[in-house]
Amino acid sequence: MAILLTGGAGFIGSHTSIELNKAGYEVVLVDDFSNSSPEVLNRLESITGQKFPFYEGSILDKDFLRGVFEKHQIDAVIHFAAFKAVGESVSEPLKYYHNNITGTISLLEVMKEKGVKNIVFSSSATVYGMNNVSPLTEDLPTSATNPYGYTKVMMEQILMDVVASDPEWSVTLLRYFNPIGAHESGLIGEAPNGIPNNLMPYITQVAVGKLAELSVFGDDYDTPDGTGVRDYIHVVDLANGHSLALKHNLEQVGTQIFNLGTGNGYSVLDLVKAFEAENQVAVPYVIKERRPGDIATCYADASKAKEILGWTAQKDLHDMMRDSWKWQSQNPNGYDA
Ligand code: WQD
């Protein structure tokens, strides 16, 4: 069974390739390195002892994609490749709509040409928008508050419409909550370009001395300590969720939607305190204004993935804090030497 991972050198894609390899799948990676590093491929070989087939290129290039499908008997695709910075999507919407939406359409058109009708899609809890109340269930209406979020909502709709047009397609939408942590080896992890938008890489870069202090975006939310509450999930748990979702996808037709979260909510200050306690390293912070577009609380009802996929998150906050720090402390400059 050959599985094509678009964006396979990225944070989630690289961790998923390890778990798929463990589960016995042949993994084929595609990436344009727009938000990842070629060094990831060397790290994957160090971890697994195998050199995964890799092709550098963009999913916008249909001839490039056709070439990959002609070299491998692809049974299913896991589609990670997308831009994902909320703030950048507001300042550069056309870049986001072209890369994420046109890229997905290009991929689906080549899959259709090649008769490959199984896809697992990297979606996001961001599709639950501002008006749904946690714990969030998969049947809730979707919406968005920024172009990045709208690309996820639209890509989900495109995929569901493809299934409606041809019931032989099997589409699995995986809605990630907040992925953090890293592989236990510390060899791969989250390496955002430039100043991190997300909380966890910002915390680890403060801890390692690359950044001076954490800005806590608001302490006046309706939450236990006033700071934002999110459902943080270890990236290895998320990767295993993909492996089980893929197995289920290959046994089905139609559309399936699953939350991949822990069902637990932790605040910004919960994370800061847990990180300092677990790793005995200081994370100085200052309270700032709320970040536009943020909601107070977001966490999953993860029961559907448990009931149907037999998947639940196994790693706790200690694991997430320890593994995030092992990655960052061993790689202060990410994948840059
Ligand atoms: C978490 C909490 C912030 C940074 C986003 C996307 C989502 C997914 C994950 C891609 C919030 C607070 C953050 C900082 C802070 N991305 N925070 N200081 O916003 O829940 O989700 O990233 O798939 O789609 O929407 O994650 O890590 O940015 O924020 O206080 O420097 O940390 O206010 O409460 P978010 P986040």
Side-chain angles (χ1 to χ4, degrees), residues 124 126 148 178 197-199 215-217 228 230 232 291 294:
S124 167
T126 204
Y148 158 73
N178 289 62
N197 298 297
N198 295 135
L199 177 62
S215 297
V216 176
F217 296 145
R230 297 293 184 272
Y232 297 95
R291 181 172 65 178
D294 275 353

Side-chain angles (χ1 to χ4, degrees), residues 22 51 71 79 112 130 157 162 173 189 202 214 227 255-256 268 289 297 310 325:
K22 273 188 204 168
K51 198 175 181 62
K71 291 186 183 76
H79 181 28
K112 185 178 176 184
M130 303 282 280
Q157 188 59 52
V162 167
L173 307 178
Y202 207 106
L214 171 71
T227 64
T255 300
Q256 303 283 335
V268 176
E289 290 301 304
T297 298
W325 179 233

Side-chain angles (χ1 to χ4, degrees), residues 12 83-86 122-127 146 148-149 152 176-180 190 195-203 213-218 221 227-232 266-269 271 286 289-291 293-298:
I12 316 298
F83 293 154
K84 64 167 194 171
V86 170
S122 167
S123 191
S124 167
T126 204
V127 304
N146 57 74
Y148 158 73
K152 291 294 186 185
Y176 307 166
F177 281 71
N178 289 62
I180 62 173
E190 191 169 8
I195 303 293
N197 298 297
N198 295 135
L199 177 62
M200 198 66 230
Y202 207 106
I203 286 176
E213 64 183 9
L214 171 71
S215 297
V216 176
F217 296 145
Y221 286 102
T227 64
V229 170
R230 297 293 184 272
D231 185 332
Y232 297 95
Y266 290 105
S267 76
V268 176
L269 294 182
L271 256 66
V286 59
E289 290 301 304
R290 293 184 178 191
R291 181 172 65 178
D294 275 353
I295 58 176
T297 298
C298 175

